[in-house]
Amino acid sequence: MSGVIKENIQLQMAELEMLFSMFPNKGEITLHDENTLNNVQKYLNNTSQNPPQMIEYSVSVTIDEPKVKVNLQVILPHDYPHVTPQLFARSDALNRQQQLQLNQDLTSYVASLESGELCICTAVQWVRDNSISYVQNSKLYSESVPDAKTFKTLFRRMWIYSHHIYRQELRKKIFDCAKKLNLTGFCLTGKPGIICVEGIKENCEEFWHDIRYPNWKHISCKHVESGETQANVDDLRLFQTFEDLQFQAHGDYGLRNDYHMDLGQFLEFLKAHQSEHVFQILFGVEGKCSEN
């Protein structure tokens, strides 16, 4: 198995070298971890037994007419090119709807390519060739006055599980991102760490994408709830703000970073917000409230 992974990573590095030759200017390709290349080489040279973290980088693609930049973010699973890479394109020149459409079409295009073949260079070229129409549609959309009755707002609520959430800088990133995207919900600090975000669908997807960068490993989206409305999206929210949850820990742990939160108190909180059903989805067991 390790031999297959090593062969895949060698192919990934060869493709990355090709991209560096296509985009030689500073800032055109950015590695999300500056130690990536060094760690990969140690693994390939057999000086490290453990596979490195997944290779993650972004490619800044310039569109000439009009002059805009599209940033293509790339995450390569160890099984790539035998599985599809994770790609996400964004640009300040795109409104949220067109950015979502661009990414949906990019995903469909990559899925249509022959399995087992390297495809990042091909995806970059597709972004370069096709982004212009999404930029133009964004401009037309912003200049038009749409009939509000013909548009529905897509709503999403995401339940995110992490092995733990302790670090202050990580918590700050979570709260800043939720505030920027007008999301409500909560962040439960401790072990385990639970995040719930709700709001406009595209905003939730952007939150989920942003908080995982550059290298948050032990995190997964356990459950998604969706809806739509022609009225105010606030009518679908279960939470009024984005709350900082910190329940009493079991035992006398103080501020140590290995304390487990009282999940009985968490279940009571979920019940108060019509979300009791999520407890079993998150933890795989039926919840019991704390005894008073």
Side-chain angles (χ1 to χ4, degrees):
M1 182 66 180
S2 60
V4 174
I5 293 177
K6 192 164 290 188
E7 181 178 333
N8 291 338
I9 293 177
Q10 287 173 335
L11 290 172
Q12 295 174 19
M13 289 295 292
E15 185 175 44
L16 183 56
E17 289 178 7
M18 183 180 298
L19 284 168
F20 273 120
S21 68
M22 296 167 57
F23 297 89
N25 297 325
K26 183 177 181 181
E28 289 185 316
I29 296 182
T30 303
L31 295 171
H32 288 278
D33 183 348
E34 59 184 15
N35 295 317
T36 294
L37 299 183
N38 185 42
N39 292 336
V40 167
Q41 288 301 330
K42 286 182 178 179
Y43 178 68
L44 295 179
N45 294 334
N46 298 315
T47 57
S48 174
Q49 297 299 316
N50 297 321
Q53 294 181 10
M54 291 186 295
I55 297 175
E56 300 184 36
Y57 56 89
S58 61
V59 183
S60 181
V61 183
T62 300
I63 313 300
D64 292 330
E65 286 295 336
K67 196 77 171 180
V68 298
K69 289 185 180 296
V70 179
N71 193 50
L72 181 63
Q73 296 176 329
V74 180
I75 302 178
L76 302 180
H78 289 149
D79 290 334
Y80 171 79
H82 301 289
V83 299
T84 304
Q86 299 178 34
L87 304 177
F88 187 84
R90 65 171 68 205
S91 173
D92 292 339
L94 295 172
N95 61 33
R96 294 197 186 282
Q97 183 59 40
Q98 289 302 311
Q99 181 167 285
L100 177 63
Q101 189 63 55
L102 170 63
N103 280 288
Q104 288 176 340
D105 293 345
L106 173 61
T107 299
S108 297
Y109 172 72
V110 171
S112 72
L113 299 175
E114 186 172 350
S115 178
E117 297 292 332
L118 296 169
C119 65
I120 304 303
C121 293
T122 306
V124 168
Q125 189 60 47
W126 186 93
V127 169
R128 176 178 281 157
D129 293 341
N130 293 276
S131 294
I132 180 62
S133 62
Y134 302 91
V135 173
Q136 291 172 340
N137 288 339
S138 292
K139 185 177 180 181
L140 289 172
Y141 180 87
S142 64
E143 291 174 351
S144 65
V145 182
D147 182 356
K149 294 182 180 179
T150 63
F151 287 88
K152 291 183 178 180
T153 300
L154 299 180
F155 176 85
R156 178 153 291 182
R157 183 179 301 112
M158 303 180 73
W159 298 89
I160 299 166
Y161 180 96
S162 176
H163 180 266
H164 61 266
I165 300 176
Y166 298 121
R167 293 187 291 115
Q168 288 296 326
E169 60 269 28
L170 178 57
R171 294 178 63 241
K172 183 178 186 302
K173 180 178 181 179
I174 292 169
F175 279 85
D176 287 348
C177 192
K179 180 178 179 181
K180 178 186 71 173
L181 296 170
N182 192 30
L183 300 177
T184 52
F186 64 84
C187 174
L188 174 62
T189 302
K191 182 179 182 179
I194 306 295
I195 305 170
C196 174
V197 289
E198 59 178 8
I200 295 174
K201 175 177 177 287
E202 293 85 358
N203 291 7
C204 288
E205 291 175 345
E206 184 169 343
F207 175 90
W208 173 233
H209 182 269
D210 287 350
I211 63 168
R212 289 179 293 164
Y213 277 94
N215 52 8
W216 193 352
K217 293 182 183 177
H218 305 294
I219 184 172
S220 61
C221 183
K222 289 280 192 175
H223 184 53
V224 174
E225 298 168 329
S226 302
E228 61 181 34
T229 180
Q230 290 182 344
N232 193 329
V233 72
D234 291 344
D235 295 340
L236 298 178
R237 296 182 190 268
L238 295 178
F239 305 91
Q240 300 305 310
T241 62
F242 191 80
E243 302 182 47
D244 182 8
L245 294 188
Q246 296 188 40
F247 295 126
Q248 180 180 1
H250 287 298
D252 184 17
Y253 288 92
L255 296 178
R256 284 171 51 189
N257 282 352
D258 58 355
Y259 60 87
H260 291 254
M261 284 299 173
D262 187 334
L263 296 182
Q265 294 182 46
F266 180 50
L267 177 59
E268 292 173 350
F269 173 82
L270 292 177
K271 283 185 174 181
H273 292 84
Q274 298 84 52
S275 300
E276 179 182 0
H277 64 286
V278 179
F279 190 93
Q280 188 165 11
I281 296 173
L282 291 172
F283 304 111
V285 295
E286 186 176 350
K288 295 182 179 180
C289 292
S290 298
E291 297 181 0
N292 293 329

